[in-house]
Amino acid sequence: ALVRTALDALGAGALPAEVDLAWSRLLRDDGRHAEQLACYDRILSAHPDHRHAERVRYGRARLLAKELARPADAEAAFVEFVERHPESTWRRQALLLLGELRVARGDQAGAGEAFARVVEDGGARDAVWANAWLSLGWTIARQGRHAEAAQVLARPLDGPGEPPPRTDEVLWTLARFRRQAGDEEGARAAIARLLAEFPASPHAEKARQEADR
């Protein structure tokens, strides 16, 4: 009620961005997502260069993708976010979500482009990177290019440092792609590495069950 009174008295353009931002959090917690989106839109319309605009643009894109289930609008919002904020700490997550939206509408090539930008950006090999890595392999494989998909998955496996997250799943998937590409020896090597390095993994258990059949 207080925010509505302020809007009526001052107009949306005169309302401080911090007020709408605080109000958007309350709306989020109350599940009033359409009104939350309206808050974000007011902030970006009246204060496009505000110090919180980056956070608002990212939150708006996620809101469209997740709670409001408006994939086309969400895709456009993520594209705008990445273009406007190329140095953002949320850029990689935005590209990952953009890729997932494109997969959902059947655009494997566009999805692969988004995932590749995460994999190739030189950032930390964290969970976001690993999700993009595996997703990139799948988008290529879904286009029938199994040998290329296997190369994409195999390339980072022997890098320095600790294995990236989801390496066990990548090895399992790598074996599958190599087999589909006709590289049975390479598939066996991937399974052997999976069993040796991740014996407790559920993917190792799947490999053992397959071997027993």
Side-chain angles (χ1 to χ4, degrees):
L2 289 173
V3 173
R4 290 195 186 95
T5 301
L7 280 171
D8 292 340
L10 300 173
L15 195 66
E18 287 78 6
V19 173
D20 250 332
L21 196 57
W23 180 233
S24 73
R25 296 190 192 103
L26 296 174
L27 293 169
R28 176 199 63 199
D29 295 342
D30 204 31
R32 295 158 63 183
H33 300 303
E35 293 173 81
Q36 182 187 356
L37 179 65
C39 283
Y40 288 159
D41 287 342
R42 280 196 301 271
I43 293 170
L44 294 174
S45 176
H47 313 281
D49 299 315
H50 191 274
R51 62 191 177 90
H52 292 309
E54 176 186 340
R55 185 202 312 179
V56 171
R57 284 192 183 93
Y58 179 72
R60 180 179 183 276
R62 279 189 62 93
L63 182 66
L64 288 164
K66 303 291 186 182
E67 285 78 14
L68 294 176
R70 290 166 50 182
D73 292 334
E75 185 172 338
F78 279 124
V79 169
E80 180 187 8
F81 175 82
V82 170
E83 290 175 350
R84 278 182 171 265
H85 305 286
E87 303 301 322
S88 173
T89 56
W90 294 304
R91 174 183 176 274
R92 299 160 82 238
Q93 184 67 46
L95 285 166
L96 178 64
L97 293 170
L98 175 61
E100 290 172 355
L101 287 167
R102 288 174 173 172
V103 167
R105 69 173 174 84
D107 180 8
Q108 301 298 334
E113 179 186 351
F115 295 140
R117 291 172 70 181
V118 180
V119 172
E120 296 167 3
D121 76 349
R125 293 188 174 187
D126 54 11
V128 171
W129 183 92
N131 289 340
W133 174 35
L134 187 57
S135 296
L136 176 59
W138 273 109
T139 59
I140 296 171
R142 290 191 193 102
Q143 298 172 71
R145 293 146 49 199
H146 295 100
E148 182 182 345
Q151 290 174 356
V152 164
L153 293 187
R155 202 173 295 127
L157 285 172
D158 295 317
E162 292 293 316
R166 301 185 74 175
T167 293
D168 58 332
E169 185 177 356
V170 165
L171 286 166
W172 169 254
T173 308
L174 174 61
R176 178 174 177 172
F177 291 168
R178 283 176 170 171
R179 193 165 286 125
Q180 289 171 316
D183 181 8
E184 190 60 40
E185 182 179 349
R188 286 196 297 270
I191 291 298
R193 181 168 176 179
L194 169 63
L195 295 173
E197 297 184 12
F198 303 95
S201 163
H203 301 288
E205 181 59 27
K206 288 179 189 176
R208 283 189 286 268
Q209 289 173 358
E210 281 199 356
D212 291 340
R213 284 202 292 267

